[in-house]
Amino acid sequence: MRALTWHGKRDVRVETVPDPRIEDPTDVIVRITSTGICGSDLHLYEVLGPFLDPGDILGHEPMGIVEEIGPQVTALAPGDRVVIPFNISCGHCYMCDRGLHSQCETTQVRERGMGASLFGYTKLYGQVPGGQAQFLRVPFGNSLPIKVPHGPADDRYVYLSDVLPTAWQAVAYAAVPPGGTVTVLGLGPIGAMAARIARHRGAGLVVGVDLVPERLSRAAADGVTCLDLRRHGKDLGDAIRDLTDGRGTDAVIDAVGMEAHGAPVAKAAHTAVGFLPDAVGERLMETVGVDRLAAFRAAVDVVRRGGTVSVSGVYGGAADPLPMLTMFDKQIQLRMGQANVRRWVDDILPLLTDDDPLGVDAFATHRLPLEEGPQAYKTFQDKRDGMIKTLLVP
């Protein structure tokens, strides 16, 4: 089969690799029909190389058609249409029973001290082959895949793999009161969808912050009050307090993470680690790694006293200096973590209708053949061509 594989910093390629096969009685093999490029994939493209091996298959936002099932699979049959959650969860352990599928005790990567395994996402999360490929082996065939109806285009459902549950959890964790206010830092795929979900769930004011013109104009068309970071970089907090009677918003969603602009020393460290030998780079990231915390510090600044910061953007540092004095003084509530995909599916599926209240049918800005994946990664990293969300078609 053809698959997009990692070979080094800023070096991904589409190659011919062995087809996956049934390895466990509850496995299924899915023929991928659409697979997204996620902002988190850029961390692999740019920063997290020490935790990858050449040839690793990337991607964690796939959907497709069941081609083959293991002998113990009873919930699916060949020909069924399914979306695959990015976290690999068994559905019945202590953590899954509590809706914490990203902490599944069956697939935790204990040798690394990490949570549930993820598709296509480094040794830290199990080094499981990903979904930017023609076929994917999916474990837990009776509980993990999300069965969806045939008919509507893939765009209707593919975001159940990551974008929709991640954005939904970000808003749920933000605990915006009815009619309340929320700032979304970063209007990439997750931030843009989080802003839509916040409005859908009754937020009175949604403020979106970014510095990419296409992202700002798109969010403004969704009814978001947009602030251009290029204009408000130093006075962002004051600009948001001016909109909220001097207090700041009830909640802030950090949908940026370690890709934040600013912090030149941390940026240089990220760049350097990406070029170090794996053993050295991995050790540095696990022990003294630091992130660019511009977005997180902005969140702490602009949230009102007693408000909530919800972090959905991925951070990778082990020695990040947090502004603890300010966080304590402002009595900030902080929630974060990988999305528990299966936890939110029942809330989201009823919204994926012809009425399309969340705008999923037209959410992708680019749909490209899998063979063009390497160029798509570069375009997405460079924030060119108005690229906000790309779906690859194997």
Side-chain angles (χ1 to χ4, degrees):
M1 70 172 182
R2 301 290 282 172
L4 190 142
T5 60
W6 183 91
H7 286 273
K9 186 180 177 74
R10 303 175 195 147
D11 181 4
V12 296
R13 309 171 192 173
V14 177
E15 300 181 306
T16 299
V17 303
D19 290 358
R21 57 184 179 83
I22 298 290
E23 298 178 13
D24 184 90
T26 60
D27 287 349
V28 299
I29 302 298
V30 176
R31 174 174 56 84
I32 304 303
T33 55
S34 293
T35 182
I37 299 178
C38 178
S40 297
D41 290 328
L42 297 183
H43 305 329
L44 313 184
Y45 189 67
E46 192 71 24
V47 177
L48 295 177
F51 301 104
L52 290 157
D53 289 330
D56 281 353
I57 301 173
L58 306 185
H60 59 269
E61 297 186 351
M63 72 171 293
I65 306 298
V66 175
E67 290 285 300
E68 184 181 356
I69 63 174
Q72 294 181 15
V73 175
T74 58
L76 296 172
D80 285 343
R81 191 184 194 194
V82 293
V83 180
I84 310 304
F86 75 90
N87 30 48
I88 304 172
S89 56
C90 70
H92 55 73
C93 69
Y94 177 93
M95 290 295 177
C96 288
D97 285 346
R98 285 155 180 78
L100 294 169
H101 298 82
S102 67
Q103 311 301 324
C104 173
E105 292 186 332
T106 305
T107 73
Q108 280 180 16
V109 187
R110 288 181 171 82
E111 64 271 22
R112 297 275 180 173
M114 304 297 282
S117 297
L118 309 179
F119 286 106
Y121 214 80
T122 79
K123 299 171 188 174
L124 291 173
Y125 290 103
Q127 205 168 21
V128 180
Q132 289 170 0
Q134 290 180 306
F135 296 93
L136 178 68
R137 182 183 74 88
V138 180
F140 308 114
N142 289 318
S143 57
L144 180 60
I146 303 164
K147 187 176 177 179
V148 297
H150 289 276
D154 282 2
D155 302 59
R156 177 77 56 91
Y157 302 112
V158 67
Y159 306 115
L160 283 169
S161 60
D162 182 352
V163 173
L164 281 167
T166 297
W168 193 275
Q169 178 171 296
V171 176
Y173 280 10
V176 185
T181 59
V182 58
T183 297
V184 180
L185 299 177
L187 295 170
I190 301 301
M193 186 58 71
R196 294 180 182 187
I197 290 169
R199 284 177 51 78
H200 173 77
R201 293 182 55 157
L205 172 68
V206 179
V207 180
V209 181
D210 208 296
L211 44 67
V212 179
E214 293 86 352
R215 294 180 176 186
L216 291 163
S217 60
R218 180 170 167 160
D222 292 334
V224 176
T225 299
C226 290
L227 298 178
D228 191 332
L229 192 62
R230 296 169 300 177
R231 176 183 173 189
H232 294 286
K234 293 183 178 180
D235 66 346
L236 179 63
D238 291 336
I240 291 174
R241 283 184 283 273
D242 286 344
L243 296 171
T244 53
D245 297 323
R247 296 188 184 92
T249 49
D250 297 314
V252 177
I253 295 170
D254 174 0
V256 179
M258 68 169 112
E259 292 293 326
H261 290 261
V265 173
K267 179 179 179 180
H270 276 185
T271 302
V273 164
F275 287 111
L276 288 171
D278 283 358
V280 178
E282 182 177 329
R283 196 156 53 246
L284 284 173
M285 284 294 287
E286 288 186 323
T287 56
V288 297
V290 295
D291 289 304
R292 286 177 273 177
L293 291 173
F296 183 80
R297 290 182 178 276
V300 171
D301 178 36
V302 306
V303 71
R304 68 161 169 81
R305 292 179 178 273
T308 301
V309 172
S310 171
V311 180
S312 63
V314 174
Y315 286 96
D320 289 331
L322 299 181
M324 292 300 295
L325 174 61
T326 303
M327 293 166 66
F328 181 84
D329 179 66
K330 292 185 72 172
Q331 201 168 331
I332 289 171
Q333 319 298 309
L334 178 62
R335 295 200 71 178
M336 65 182 75
Q338 299 279 10
N340 304 298
V341 174
R342 265 297 189 175
R343 161 67 179 83
W344 307 110
V345 168
D346 290 345
D347 294 312
I348 299 168
L349 258 177
L351 302 176
L352 304 183
T353 63
D354 289 344
D355 292 338
D356 196 17
L358 300 180
V360 295
D361 287 350
F363 190 65
T365 56
H366 294 69
R367 178 178 277 274
L368 300 168
L370 177 67
E371 298 292 331
E372 296 182 24
Q375 182 57 47
Y377 265 73
K378 187 176 190 309
T379 302
F380 192 26
Q381 174 71 11
D382 294 341
K383 298 179 175 63
R384 292 187 292 105
D385 194 33
M387 183 177 284
I388 299 174
K389 187 60 185 180
T390 295
L391 296 178
L392 300 177
V393 182

